[in-house]
Amino acid sequence: MTALTILMILTAYLLGSISSAVLICKLWGLPDPRKEGSGNPGATNVYRVGGKIPALLTLWFDVLKGMVPVWGSYFLGIEPFFLGLIAVAACLGHIFPLYFHFRGGKAVATALGAMFPVAWEMALLLIATWLVVFKISKVSSLAALVTVCLAPFYAYWIKPQYTVPVIMISLLILWRHQSNIVRLTSGQEKGFKRRQ
């Protein structure tokens, strides 16, 4: 592993550590998303506590946190396996943000952003999968879980050299959704709606 690769892994983690949800909620004068709604600092919960515009901005910046370091590394000629590690580092930053007491989100949007530079076809398939499952179920966590479970198969089909890193990201996101999985299996997971 070269010094450049190590630098990009560190950069990805530090960029991923910027909590878009918390910062945007502060700018909009909204409650801290870690203390309201589901308690998850992500776009879905920001929508619950603040509506469409803050949620869309959160989604956009969370996607960029994954996209920018991977895209930069891709153009710097870093090998596919290490691009995957850089993507994992961005997701770890989102989940365990250095600047926010290591209390982060679930990294779904950041993982999606990380996949765009190296496999845009796979990223589009993932978006389509999430949208279809969400439209049917109205449960964001279920849509995310189905999507990340299918992601390694999409990777193997479209860009097999990224299969191992995609499996790593998928396992990381599944681990972060443990409480959602418990609620889904017990029938207690709530559908998606904005708080009144």
PDB file of all heavy atoms in Angstrom, residues 63 66-68 70-71 83 87 91 107-124 126 147-148 150-152 154-155 159 162-163 165-170 173:
ATOM      1  N   VAL A  63     -23.997  11.708  -0.138  1.00  0.00           N
ATOM      2  CA  VAL A  63     -23.542  11.049  -1.367  1.00  0.00           C
ATOM      3  C   VAL A  63     -22.164  11.573  -1.769  1.00  0.00           C
ATOM      4  O   VAL A  63     -21.257  10.802  -2.105  1.00  0.00           O
ATOM      5  CB  VAL A  63     -24.563  11.251  -2.505  1.00  0.00           C
ATOM      6  CG1 VAL A  63     -23.960  10.862  -3.856  1.00  0.00           C
ATOM      7  CG2 VAL A  63     -25.833  10.445  -2.250  1.00  0.00           C
ATOM      8  N   GLY A  66     -18.978  10.151  -0.094  1.00  0.00           N
ATOM      9  CA  GLY A  66     -18.458   8.911  -0.641  1.00  0.00           C
ATOM     10  C   GLY A  66     -17.882   9.089  -2.034  1.00  0.00           C
ATOM     11  O   GLY A  66     -16.864   8.489  -2.389  1.00  0.00           O
ATOM     12  N   MET A  67     -18.534   9.942  -2.824  1.00  0.00           N
ATOM     13  CA  MET A  67     -18.149  10.103  -4.231  1.00  0.00           C
ATOM     14  C   MET A  67     -16.804  10.808  -4.408  1.00  0.00           C
ATOM     15  O   MET A  67     -15.941  10.357  -5.179  1.00  0.00           O
ATOM     16  CB  MET A  67     -19.235  10.890  -4.963  1.00  0.00           C
ATOM     17  CG  MET A  67     -18.999  11.018  -6.456  1.00  0.00           C
ATOM     18  SD  MET A  67     -20.299  11.990  -7.260  1.00  0.00           S
ATOM     19  CE  MET A  67     -21.713  10.912  -7.068  1.00  0.00           C
ATOM     20  N   VAL A  68     -16.594  11.911  -3.689  1.00  0.00           N
ATOM     21  CA  VAL A  68     -15.411  12.751  -3.925  1.00  0.00           C
ATOM     22  C   VAL A  68     -14.094  12.012  -3.673  1.00  0.00           C
ATOM     23  O   VAL A  68     -13.206  12.008  -4.544  1.00  0.00           O
ATOM     24  CB  VAL A  68     -15.502  14.057  -3.101  1.00  0.00           C
ATOM     25  CG1 VAL A  68     -14.178  14.812  -3.123  1.00  0.00           C
ATOM     26  CG2 VAL A  68     -16.631  14.937  -3.637  1.00  0.00           C
ATOM     27  N   VAL A  70     -13.449   8.775  -3.602  1.00  0.00           N
ATOM     28  CA  VAL A  70     -13.280   7.632  -4.510  1.00  0.00           C
ATOM     29  C   VAL A  70     -12.995   8.129  -5.924  1.00  0.00           C
ATOM     30  O   VAL A  70     -12.134   7.592  -6.623  1.00  0.00           O
ATOM     31  CB  VAL A  70     -14.514   6.713  -4.471  1.00  0.00           C
ATOM     32  CG1 VAL A  70     -14.385   5.598  -5.519  1.00  0.00           C
ATOM     33  CG2 VAL A  70     -14.677   6.098  -3.085  1.00  0.00           C
ATOM     34  N   TRP A  71     -13.714   9.148  -6.355  1.00  0.00           N
ATOM     35  CA  TRP A  71     -13.483   9.696  -7.686  1.00  0.00           C
ATOM     36  C   TRP A  71     -12.067  10.247  -7.799  1.00  0.00           C
ATOM     37  O   TRP A  71     -11.343  10.002  -8.777  1.00  0.00           O
ATOM     38  CB  TRP A  71     -14.495  10.803  -7.991  1.00  0.00           C
ATOM     39  CG  TRP A  71     -14.912  10.821  -9.427  1.00  0.00           C
ATOM     40  CD1 TRP A  71     -14.172  10.461 -10.512  1.00  0.00           C
ATOM     41  CD2 TRP A  71     -16.193  11.195  -9.941  1.00  0.00           C
ATOM     42  NE1 TRP A  71     -14.893  10.592 -11.668  1.00  0.00           N
ATOM     43  CE2 TRP A  71     -16.137  11.046 -11.337  1.00  0.00           C
ATOM     44  CE3 TRP A  71     -17.363  11.650  -9.352  1.00  0.00           C
ATOM     45  CZ2 TRP A  71     -17.222  11.339 -12.159  1.00  0.00           C
ATOM     46  CZ3 TRP A  71     -18.445  11.940 -10.170  1.00  0.00           C
ATOM     47  CH2 TRP A  71     -18.365  11.787 -11.558  1.00  0.00           C
ATOM     48  N   LEU A  83      -9.403   1.238  -3.976  1.00  0.00           N
ATOM     49  CA  LEU A  83     -10.552   2.134  -4.131  1.00  0.00           C
ATOM     50  C   LEU A  83     -11.690   1.665  -3.230  1.00  0.00           C
ATOM     51  O   LEU A  83     -12.398   2.478  -2.618  1.00  0.00           O
ATOM     52  CB  LEU A  83     -11.034   2.161  -5.590  1.00  0.00           C
ATOM     53  CG  LEU A  83     -10.175   2.906  -6.599  1.00  0.00           C
ATOM     54  CD1 LEU A  83     -10.778   2.774  -8.000  1.00  0.00           C
ATOM     55  CD2 LEU A  83     -10.035   4.372  -6.238  1.00  0.00           C
ATOM     56  N   ALA A  87     -13.555   3.631  -0.171  1.00  0.00           N
ATOM     57  CA  ALA A  87     -15.016   3.713  -0.014  1.00  0.00           C
ATOM     58  C   ALA A  87     -15.428   3.266   1.382  1.00  0.00           C
ATOM     59  O   ALA A  87     -16.269   3.895   2.029  1.00  0.00           O
ATOM     60  CB  ALA A  87     -15.701   2.856  -1.078  1.00  0.00           C
ATOM     61  N   CYS A  91     -17.363   5.407   4.484  1.00  0.00           N
ATOM     62  CA  CYS A  91     -18.532   4.887   5.212  1.00  0.00           C
ATOM     63  C   CYS A  91     -18.262   4.820   6.711  1.00  0.00           C
ATOM     64  O   CYS A  91     -19.129   5.158   7.524  1.00  0.00           O
ATOM     65  CB  CYS A  91     -18.921   3.508   4.681  1.00  0.00           C
ATOM     66  SG  CYS A  91     -19.537   3.521   2.987  1.00  0.00           S
ATOM     67  N   ALA A 107     -24.761   5.096   6.720  1.00  0.00           N
ATOM     68  CA  ALA A 107     -23.854   5.117   5.567  1.00  0.00           C
ATOM     69  C   ALA A 107     -24.441   4.611   4.259  1.00  0.00           C
ATOM     70  O   ALA A 107     -23.698   4.325   3.323  1.00  0.00           O
ATOM     71  CB  ALA A 107     -22.566   4.352   5.886  1.00  0.00           C
ATOM     72  N   VAL A 108     -25.755   4.522   4.140  1.00  0.00           N
ATOM     73  CA  VAL A 108     -26.339   4.032   2.885  1.00  0.00           C
ATOM     74  C   VAL A 108     -26.046   5.006   1.742  1.00  0.00           C
ATOM     75  O   VAL A 108     -25.562   4.616   0.678  1.00  0.00           O
ATOM     76  CB  VAL A 108     -27.856   3.799   3.036  1.00  0.00           C
ATOM     77  CG1 VAL A 108     -28.467   3.385   1.709  1.00  0.00           C
ATOM     78  CG2 VAL A 108     -28.121   2.731   4.092  1.00  0.00           C
ATOM     79  N   ALA A 109     -26.331   6.296   1.960  1.00  0.00           N
ATOM     80  CA  ALA A 109     -26.108   7.298   0.906  1.00  0.00           C
ATOM     81  C   ALA A 109     -24.623   7.458   0.600  1.00  0.00           C
ATOM     82  O   ALA A 109     -24.226   7.618  -0.560  1.00  0.00           O
ATOM     83  CB  ALA A 109     -26.719   8.639   1.315  1.00  0.00           C
ATOM     84  N   THR A 110     -23.788   7.408   1.630  1.00  0.00           N
ATOM     85  CA  THR A 110     -22.340   7.547   1.426  1.00  0.00           C
ATOM     86  C   THR A 110     -21.797   6.359   0.621  1.00  0.00           C
ATOM     87  O   THR A 110     -20.956   6.539  -0.268  1.00  0.00           O
ATOM     88  CB  THR A 110     -21.626   7.654   2.787  1.00  0.00           C
ATOM     89  OG1 THR A 110     -22.168   8.771   3.504  1.00  0.00           O
ATOM     90  CG2 THR A 110     -20.134   7.864   2.613  1.00  0.00           C
ATOM     91  N   ALA A 111     -22.288   5.166   0.909  1.00  0.00           N
ATOM     92  CA  ALA A 111     -21.872   3.979   0.149  1.00  0.00           C
ATOM     93  C   ALA A 111     -22.297   4.093  -1.304  1.00  0.00           C
ATOM     94  O   ALA A 111     -21.537   3.764  -2.227  1.00  0.00           O
ATOM     95  CB  ALA A 111     -22.467   2.726   0.777  1.00  0.00           C
ATOM     96  N   LEU A 112     -23.516   4.588  -1.525  1.00  0.00           N
ATOM     97  CA  LEU A 112     -23.998   4.770  -2.892  1.00  0.00           C
ATOM     98  C   LEU A 112     -23.113   5.757  -3.644  1.00  0.00           C
ATOM     99  O   LEU A 112     -22.711   5.515  -4.790  1.00  0.00           O
ATOM    100  CB  LEU A 112     -25.446   5.271  -2.863  1.00  0.00           C
ATOM    101  CG  LEU A 112     -26.094   5.532  -4.222  1.00  0.00           C
ATOM    102  CD1 LEU A 112     -26.224   4.234  -5.009  1.00  0.00           C
ATOM    103  CD2 LEU A 112     -27.464   6.177  -4.034  1.00  0.00           C
ATOM    104  N   GLY A 113     -22.784   6.872  -2.992  1.00  0.00           N
ATOM    105  CA  GLY A 113     -21.912   7.870  -3.619  1.00  0.00           C
ATOM    106  C   GLY A 113     -20.557   7.302  -3.965  1.00  0.00           C
ATOM    107  O   GLY A 113     -19.980   7.619  -5.011  1.00  0.00           O
ATOM    108  N   ALA A 114     -20.040   6.438  -3.093  1.00  0.00           N
ATOM    109  CA  ALA A 114     -18.725   5.836  -3.334  1.00  0.00           C
ATOM    110  C   ALA A 114     -18.729   4.915  -4.552  1.00  0.00           C
ATOM    111  O   ALA A 114     -17.695   4.710  -5.184  1.00  0.00           O
ATOM    112  CB  ALA A 114     -18.282   5.066  -2.096  1.00  0.00           C
ATOM    113  N   MET A 115     -19.884   4.366  -4.899  1.00  0.00           N
ATOM    114  CA  MET A 115     -19.961   3.436  -6.030  1.00  0.00           C
ATOM    115  C   MET A 115     -20.111   4.135  -7.378  1.00  0.00           C
ATOM    116  O   MET A 115     -19.780   3.560  -8.422  1.00  0.00           O
ATOM    117  CB  MET A 115     -21.106   2.455  -5.806  1.00  0.00           C
ATOM    118  CG  MET A 115     -20.858   1.501  -4.652  1.00  0.00           C
ATOM    119  SD  MET A 115     -22.255   0.404  -4.334  1.00  0.00           S
ATOM    120  CE  MET A 115     -21.807  -0.285  -2.750  1.00  0.00           C
ATOM    121  N   PHE A 116     -20.613   5.361  -7.372  1.00  0.00           N
ATOM    122  CA  PHE A 116     -20.845   6.061  -8.631  1.00  0.00           C
ATOM    123  C   PHE A 116     -19.596   6.219  -9.500  1.00  0.00           C
ATOM    124  O   PHE A 116     -19.646   5.966 -10.712  1.00  0.00           O
ATOM    125  CB  PHE A 116     -21.466   7.439  -8.370  1.00  0.00           C
ATOM    126  CG  PHE A 116     -22.954   7.470  -8.571  1.00  0.00           C
ATOM    127  CD1 PHE A 116     -23.807   7.552  -7.489  1.00  0.00           C
ATOM    128  CD2 PHE A 116     -23.500   7.415  -9.842  1.00  0.00           C
ATOM    129  CE1 PHE A 116     -25.185   7.571  -7.659  1.00  0.00           C
ATOM    130  CE2 PHE A 116     -24.872   7.429 -10.028  1.00  0.00           C
ATOM    131  CZ  PHE A 116     -25.713   7.509  -8.939  1.00  0.00           C
ATOM    132  N   PRO A 117     -18.450   6.646  -8.951  1.00  0.00           N
ATOM    133  CA  PRO A 117     -17.288   6.894  -9.816  1.00  0.00           C
ATOM    134  C   PRO A 117     -16.755   5.653 -10.515  1.00  0.00           C
ATOM    135  O   PRO A 117     -16.194   5.740 -11.605  1.00  0.00           O
ATOM    136  CB  PRO A 117     -16.235   7.451  -8.843  1.00  0.00           C
ATOM    137  CG  PRO A 117     -17.009   7.936  -7.678  1.00  0.00           C
ATOM    138  CD  PRO A 117     -18.197   7.032  -7.561  1.00  0.00           C
ATOM    139  N   VAL A 118     -16.899   4.480  -9.888  1.00  0.00           N
ATOM    140  CA  VAL A 118     -16.281   3.282 -10.455  1.00  0.00           C
ATOM    141  C   VAL A 118     -17.277   2.350 -11.127  1.00  0.00           C
ATOM    142  O   VAL A 118     -16.893   1.491 -11.920  1.00  0.00           O
ATOM    143  CB  VAL A 118     -15.497   2.504  -9.367  1.00  0.00           C
ATOM    144  CG1 VAL A 118     -14.319   3.326  -8.870  1.00  0.00           C
ATOM    145  CG2 VAL A 118     -16.399   2.130  -8.199  1.00  0.00           C
ATOM    146  N   ALA A 119     -18.555   2.507 -10.808  1.00  0.00           N
ATOM    147  CA  ALA A 119     -19.569   1.604 -11.388  1.00  0.00           C
ATOM    148  C   ALA A 119     -20.931   2.299 -11.388  1.00  0.00           C
ATOM    149  O   ALA A 119     -21.809   1.944 -10.608  1.00  0.00           O
ATOM    150  CB  ALA A 119     -19.618   0.304 -10.604  1.00  0.00           C
ATOM    151  N   TRP A 120     -21.094   3.272 -12.272  1.00  0.00           N
ATOM    152  CA  TRP A 120     -22.335   4.055 -12.269  1.00  0.00           C
ATOM    153  C   TRP A 120     -23.535   3.170 -12.606  1.00  0.00           C
ATOM    154  O   TRP A 120     -24.641   3.399 -12.116  1.00  0.00           O
ATOM    155  CB  TRP A 120     -22.249   5.239 -13.227  1.00  0.00           C
ATOM    156  CG  TRP A 120     -22.049   4.869 -14.676  1.00  0.00           C
ATOM    157  CD1 TRP A 120     -20.866   4.779 -15.330  1.00  0.00           C
ATOM    158  CD2 TRP A 120     -23.068   4.549 -15.624  1.00  0.00           C
ATOM    159  NE1 TRP A 120     -21.070   4.402 -16.636  1.00  0.00           N
ATOM    160  CE2 TRP A 120     -22.411   4.262 -16.855  1.00  0.00           C
ATOM    161  CE3 TRP A 120     -24.454   4.473 -15.576  1.00  0.00           C
ATOM    162  CZ2 TRP A 120     -23.118   3.908 -18.008  1.00  0.00           C
ATOM    163  CZ3 TRP A 120     -25.150   4.120 -16.715  1.00  0.00           C
ATOM    164  CH2 TRP A 120     -24.477   3.850 -17.915  1.00  0.00           C
ATOM    165  N   GLU A 121     -23.306   2.131 -13.427  1.00  0.00           N
ATOM    166  CA  GLU A 121     -24.419   1.227 -13.759  1.00  0.00           C
ATOM    167  C   GLU A 121     -24.928   0.520 -12.502  1.00  0.00           C
ATOM    168  O   GLU A 121     -26.132   0.374 -12.304  1.00  0.00           O
ATOM    169  CB  GLU A 121     -23.981   0.179 -14.786  1.00  0.00           C
ATOM    170  CG  GLU A 121     -23.304   0.744 -16.029  1.00  0.00           C
ATOM    171  CD  GLU A 121     -21.797   0.674 -15.934  1.00  0.00           C
ATOM    172  OE1 GLU A 121     -21.261   0.923 -14.832  1.00  0.00           O
ATOM    173  OE2 GLU A 121     -21.150   0.377 -16.948  1.00  0.00           O
ATOM    174  N   MET A 122     -23.976   0.090 -11.653  1.00  0.00           N
ATOM    175  CA  MET A 122     -24.357  -0.569 -10.422  1.00  0.00           C
ATOM    176  C   MET A 122     -25.070   0.414  -9.491  1.00  0.00           C
ATOM    177  O   MET A 122     -26.062   0.054  -8.843  1.00  0.00           O
ATOM    178  CB  MET A 122     -23.131  -1.145  -9.722  1.00  0.00           C
ATOM    179  CG  MET A 122     -23.476  -1.937  -8.475  1.00  0.00           C
ATOM    180  SD  MET A 122     -22.049  -2.788  -7.776  1.00  0.00           S
ATOM    181  CE  MET A 122     -21.081  -1.430  -7.188  1.00  0.00           C
ATOM    182  N   ALA A 123     -24.576   1.655  -9.432  1.00  0.00           N
ATOM    183  CA  ALA A 123     -25.212   2.660  -8.588  1.00  0.00           C
ATOM    184  C   ALA A 123     -26.657   2.894  -9.021  1.00  0.00           C
ATOM    185  O   ALA A 123     -27.560   3.009  -8.176  1.00  0.00           O
ATOM    186  CB  ALA A 123     -24.414   3.958  -8.636  1.00  0.00           C
ATOM    187  N   LEU A 124     -26.896   2.940 -10.323  1.00  0.00           N
ATOM    188  CA  LEU A 124     -28.261   3.132 -10.818  1.00  0.00           C
ATOM    189  C   LEU A 124     -29.151   1.935 -10.476  1.00  0.00           C
ATOM    190  O   LEU A 124     -30.322   2.095 -10.120  1.00  0.00           O
ATOM    191  CB  LEU A 124     -28.251   3.371 -12.329  1.00  0.00           C
ATOM    192  CG  LEU A 124     -27.637   4.694 -12.795  1.00  0.00           C
ATOM    193  CD1 LEU A 124     -27.666   4.788 -14.314  1.00  0.00           C
ATOM    194  CD2 LEU A 124     -28.367   5.889 -12.178  1.00  0.00           C
ATOM    195  N   LEU A 126     -28.767   0.033  -7.877  1.00  0.00           N
ATOM    196  CA  LEU A 126     -29.018   0.122  -6.440  1.00  0.00           C
ATOM    197  C   LEU A 126     -30.120   1.133  -6.137  1.00  0.00           C
ATOM    198  O   LEU A 126     -31.001   0.885  -5.312  1.00  0.00           O
ATOM    199  CB  LEU A 126     -27.726   0.500  -5.699  1.00  0.00           C
ATOM    200  CG  LEU A 126     -26.619  -0.551  -5.725  1.00  0.00           C
ATOM    201  CD1 LEU A 126     -25.335   0.005  -5.137  1.00  0.00           C
ATOM    202  CD2 LEU A 126     -27.036  -1.805  -4.981  1.00  0.00           C
ATOM    203  N   THR A 147     -31.455  -3.639  -0.685  1.00  0.00           N
ATOM    204  CA  THR A 147     -30.491  -3.076  -1.641  1.00  0.00           C
ATOM    205  C   THR A 147     -29.067  -3.524  -1.327  1.00  0.00           C
ATOM    206  O   THR A 147     -28.338  -3.951  -2.230  1.00  0.00           O
ATOM    207  CB  THR A 147     -30.584  -1.542  -1.638  1.00  0.00           C
ATOM    208  OG1 THR A 147     -31.922  -1.150  -1.991  1.00  0.00           O
ATOM    209  CG2 THR A 147     -29.618  -0.930  -2.641  1.00  0.00           C
ATOM    210  N   VAL A 148     -28.655  -3.422  -0.061  1.00  0.00           N
ATOM    211  CA  VAL A 148     -27.272  -3.798   0.260  1.00  0.00           C
ATOM    212  C   VAL A 148     -27.048  -5.308   0.151  1.00  0.00           C
ATOM    213  O   VAL A 148     -25.934  -5.745  -0.137  1.00  0.00           O
ATOM    214  CB  VAL A 148     -26.826  -3.288   1.655  1.00  0.00           C
ATOM    215  CG1 VAL A 148     -26.891  -1.782   1.714  1.00  0.00           C
ATOM    216  CG2 VAL A 148     -27.624  -3.903   2.773  1.00  0.00           C
ATOM    217  N   LEU A 150     -28.337  -7.133  -2.195  1.00  0.00           N
ATOM    218  CA  LEU A 150     -28.184  -7.386  -3.631  1.00  0.00           C
ATOM    219  C   LEU A 150     -26.914  -6.759  -4.209  1.00  0.00           C
ATOM    220  O   LEU A 150     -26.447  -7.167  -5.273  1.00  0.00           O
ATOM    221  CB  LEU A 150     -29.407  -6.852  -4.386  1.00  0.00           C
ATOM    222  CG  LEU A 150     -30.707  -7.629  -4.163  1.00  0.00           C
ATOM    223  CD1 LEU A 150     -31.874  -6.923  -4.845  1.00  0.00           C
ATOM    224  CD2 LEU A 150     -30.585  -9.055  -4.680  1.00  0.00           C
ATOM    225  N   ALA A 151     -26.352  -5.772  -3.510  1.00  0.00           N
ATOM    226  CA  ALA A 151     -25.195  -5.039  -4.030  1.00  0.00           C
ATOM    227  C   ALA A 151     -24.022  -5.931  -4.436  1.00  0.00           C
ATOM    228  O   ALA A 151     -23.445  -5.748  -5.519  1.00  0.00           O
ATOM    229  CB  ALA A 151     -24.748  -3.987  -3.018  1.00  0.00           C
ATOM    230  N   PRO A 152     -23.605  -6.930  -3.629  1.00  0.00           N
ATOM    231  CA  PRO A 152     -22.482  -7.780  -4.064  1.00  0.00           C
ATOM    232  C   PRO A 152     -22.768  -8.549  -5.351  1.00  0.00           C
ATOM    233  O   PRO A 152     -21.861  -8.762  -6.167  1.00  0.00           O
ATOM    234  CB  PRO A 152     -22.291  -8.738  -2.874  1.00  0.00           C
ATOM    235  CG  PRO A 152     -22.850  -8.006  -1.699  1.00  0.00           C
ATOM    236  CD  PRO A 152     -24.018  -7.251  -2.242  1.00  0.00           C
ATOM    237  N   TYR A 154     -24.784  -7.486  -7.790  1.00  0.00           N
ATOM    238  CA  TYR A 154     -24.677  -6.484  -8.862  1.00  0.00           C
ATOM    239  C   TYR A 154     -23.202  -6.227  -9.190  1.00  0.00           C
ATOM    240  O   TYR A 154     -22.832  -6.107 -10.361  1.00  0.00           O
ATOM    241  CB  TYR A 154     -25.333  -5.174  -8.441  1.00  0.00           C
ATOM    242  CG  TYR A 154     -26.837  -5.212  -8.294  1.00  0.00           C
ATOM    243  CD1 TYR A 154     -27.504  -4.243  -7.546  1.00  0.00           C
ATOM    244  CD2 TYR A 154     -27.611  -6.200  -8.893  1.00  0.00           C
ATOM    245  CE1 TYR A 154     -28.891  -4.252  -7.411  1.00  0.00           C
ATOM    246  CE2 TYR A 154     -28.994  -6.227  -8.760  1.00  0.00           C
ATOM    247  CZ  TYR A 154     -29.623  -5.252  -8.016  1.00  0.00           C
ATOM    248  OH  TYR A 154     -30.990  -5.266  -7.885  1.00  0.00           O
ATOM    249  N   ALA A 155     -22.377  -6.132  -8.141  1.00  0.00           N
ATOM    250  CA  ALA A 155     -20.949  -5.877  -8.353  1.00  0.00           C
ATOM    251  C   ALA A 155     -20.305  -7.022  -9.132  1.00  0.00           C
ATOM    252  O   ALA A 155     -19.552  -6.789 -10.087  1.00  0.00           O
ATOM    253  CB  ALA A 155     -20.248  -5.683  -7.003  1.00  0.00           C
ATOM    254  N   LYS A 159     -19.036  -5.221 -12.237  1.00  0.00           N
ATOM    255  CA  LYS A 159     -17.616  -4.906 -12.035  1.00  0.00           C
ATOM    256  C   LYS A 159     -17.041  -5.879 -11.012  1.00  0.00           C
ATOM    257  O   LYS A 159     -16.905  -5.560  -9.833  1.00  0.00           O
ATOM    258  CB  LYS A 159     -17.459  -3.458 -11.529  1.00  0.00           C
ATOM    259  CG  LYS A 159     -17.729  -2.363 -12.550  1.00  0.00           C
ATOM    260  CD  LYS A 159     -16.548  -2.203 -13.483  1.00  0.00           C
ATOM    261  CE  LYS A 159     -16.788  -1.091 -14.509  1.00  0.00           C
ATOM    262  NZ  LYS A 159     -16.550   0.239 -13.950  1.00  0.00           N
ATOM    263  N   TYR A 162     -14.630  -5.269  -8.007  1.00  0.00           N
ATOM    264  CA  TYR A 162     -15.050  -4.528  -6.815  1.00  0.00           C
ATOM    265  C   TYR A 162     -15.934  -5.367  -5.888  1.00  0.00           C
ATOM    266  O   TYR A 162     -16.463  -4.850  -4.907  1.00  0.00           O
ATOM    267  CB  TYR A 162     -15.806  -3.252  -7.222  1.00  0.00           C
ATOM    268  CG  TYR A 162     -14.945  -2.256  -7.954  1.00  0.00           C
ATOM    269  CD1 TYR A 162     -15.107  -2.043  -9.325  1.00  0.00           C
ATOM    270  CD2 TYR A 162     -13.958  -1.552  -7.286  1.00  0.00           C
ATOM    271  CE1 TYR A 162     -14.300  -1.153  -9.999  1.00  0.00           C
ATOM    272  CE2 TYR A 162     -13.147  -0.656  -7.955  1.00  0.00           C
ATOM    273  CZ  TYR A 162     -13.326  -0.456  -9.315  1.00  0.00           C
ATOM    274  OH  TYR A 162     -12.523   0.430  -9.979  1.00  0.00           O
ATOM    275  N   THR A 163     -16.059  -6.655  -6.176  1.00  0.00           N
ATOM    276  CA  THR A 163     -16.972  -7.486  -5.392  1.00  0.00           C
ATOM    277  C   THR A 163     -16.594  -7.547  -3.921  1.00  0.00           C
ATOM    278  O   THR A 163     -17.448  -7.384  -3.039  1.00  0.00           O
ATOM    279  CB  THR A 163     -17.033  -8.913  -5.967  1.00  0.00           C
ATOM    280  OG1 THR A 163     -17.437  -8.853  -7.341  1.00  0.00           O
ATOM    281  CG2 THR A 163     -18.041  -9.758  -5.202  1.00  0.00           C
ATOM    282  N   PRO A 165     -14.714  -5.424  -1.957  1.00  0.00           N
ATOM    283  CA  PRO A 165     -15.017  -4.192  -1.223  1.00  0.00           C
ATOM    284  C   PRO A 165     -16.514  -3.945  -1.055  1.00  0.00           C
ATOM    285  O   PRO A 165     -16.944  -3.452  -0.006  1.00  0.00           O
ATOM    286  CB  PRO A 165     -14.376  -3.097  -2.095  1.00  0.00           C
ATOM    287  CG  PRO A 165     -13.303  -3.785  -2.843  1.00  0.00           C
ATOM    288  CD  PRO A 165     -13.819  -5.160  -3.100  1.00  0.00           C
ATOM    289  N   VAL A 166     -17.314  -4.292  -2.068  1.00  0.00           N
ATOM    290  CA  VAL A 166     -18.762  -4.107  -1.948  1.00  0.00           C
ATOM    291  C   VAL A 166     -19.329  -5.020  -0.866  1.00  0.00           C
ATOM    292  O   VAL A 166     -20.213  -4.621  -0.099  1.00  0.00           O
ATOM    293  CB  VAL A 166     -19.464  -4.331  -3.307  1.00  0.00           C
ATOM    294  CG1 VAL A 166     -20.985  -4.401  -3.137  1.00  0.00           C
ATOM    295  CG2 VAL A 166     -19.108  -3.203  -4.277  1.00  0.00           C
ATOM    296  N   ILE A 167     -18.817  -6.247  -0.775  1.00  0.00           N
ATOM    297  CA  ILE A 167     -19.242  -7.146   0.303  1.00  0.00           C
ATOM    298  C   ILE A 167     -18.902  -6.529   1.661  1.00  0.00           C
ATOM    299  O   ILE A 167     -19.718  -6.548   2.594  1.00  0.00           O
ATOM    300  CB  ILE A 167     -18.575  -8.532   0.160  1.00  0.00           C
ATOM    301  CG1 ILE A 167     -19.165  -9.277  -1.040  1.00  0.00           C
ATOM    302  CG2 ILE A 167     -18.755  -9.354   1.435  1.00  0.00           C
ATOM    303  CD1 ILE A 167     -18.431 -10.558  -1.384  1.00  0.00           C
ATOM    304  N   MET A 168     -17.713  -5.925   1.768  1.00  0.00           N
ATOM    305  CA  MET A 168     -17.298  -5.294   3.022  1.00  0.00           C
ATOM    306  C   MET A 168     -18.256  -4.163   3.399  1.00  0.00           C
ATOM    307  O   MET A 168     -18.689  -4.062   4.559  1.00  0.00           O
ATOM    308  CB  MET A 168     -15.864  -4.765   2.886  1.00  0.00           C
ATOM    309  CG  MET A 168     -14.820  -5.852   2.757  1.00  0.00           C
ATOM    310  SD  MET A 168     -13.215  -5.223   2.205  1.00  0.00           S
ATOM    311  CE  MET A 168     -12.776  -4.160   3.567  1.00  0.00           C
ATOM    312  N   ILE A 169     -18.596  -3.322   2.429  1.00  0.00           N
ATOM    313  CA  ILE A 169     -19.514  -2.209   2.692  1.00  0.00           C
ATOM    314  C   ILE A 169     -20.891  -2.727   3.056  1.00  0.00           C
ATOM    315  O   ILE A 169     -21.541  -2.222   3.987  1.00  0.00           O
ATOM    316  CB  ILE A 169     -19.584  -1.273   1.463  1.00  0.00           C
ATOM    317  CG1 ILE A 169     -18.237  -0.579   1.246  1.00  0.00           C
ATOM    318  CG2 ILE A 169     -20.695  -0.235   1.631  1.00  0.00           C
ATOM    319  CD1 ILE A 169     -18.138   0.191  -0.064  1.00  0.00           C
ATOM    320  N   SER A 170     -21.352  -3.750   2.339  1.00  0.00           N
ATOM    321  CA  SER A 170     -22.678  -4.314   2.611  1.00  0.00           C
ATOM    322  C   SER A 170     -22.760  -4.885   4.026  1.00  0.00           C
ATOM    323  O   SER A 170     -23.747  -4.671   4.741  1.00  0.00           O
ATOM    324  CB  SER A 170     -23.012  -5.403   1.589  1.00  0.00           C
ATOM    325  OG  SER A 170     -23.128  -4.855   0.294  1.00  0.00           O
ATOM    326  N   ILE A 173     -22.982  -2.031   6.534  1.00  0.00           N
ATOM    327  CA  ILE A 173     -24.313  -1.413   6.585  1.00  0.00           C
ATOM    328  C   ILE A 173     -25.317  -2.355   7.251  1.00  0.00           C
ATOM    329  O   ILE A 173     -26.164  -1.914   8.037  1.00  0.00           O
ATOM    330  CB  ILE A 173     -24.767  -1.001   5.173  1.00  0.00           C
ATOM    331  CG1 ILE A 173     -23.863   0.122   4.655  1.00  0.00           C
ATOM    332  CG2 ILE A 173     -26.231  -0.548   5.176  1.00  0.00           C
ATOM    333  CD1 ILE A 173     -24.097   0.502   3.206  1.00  0.00           C
TER     334      ILE A 173
END
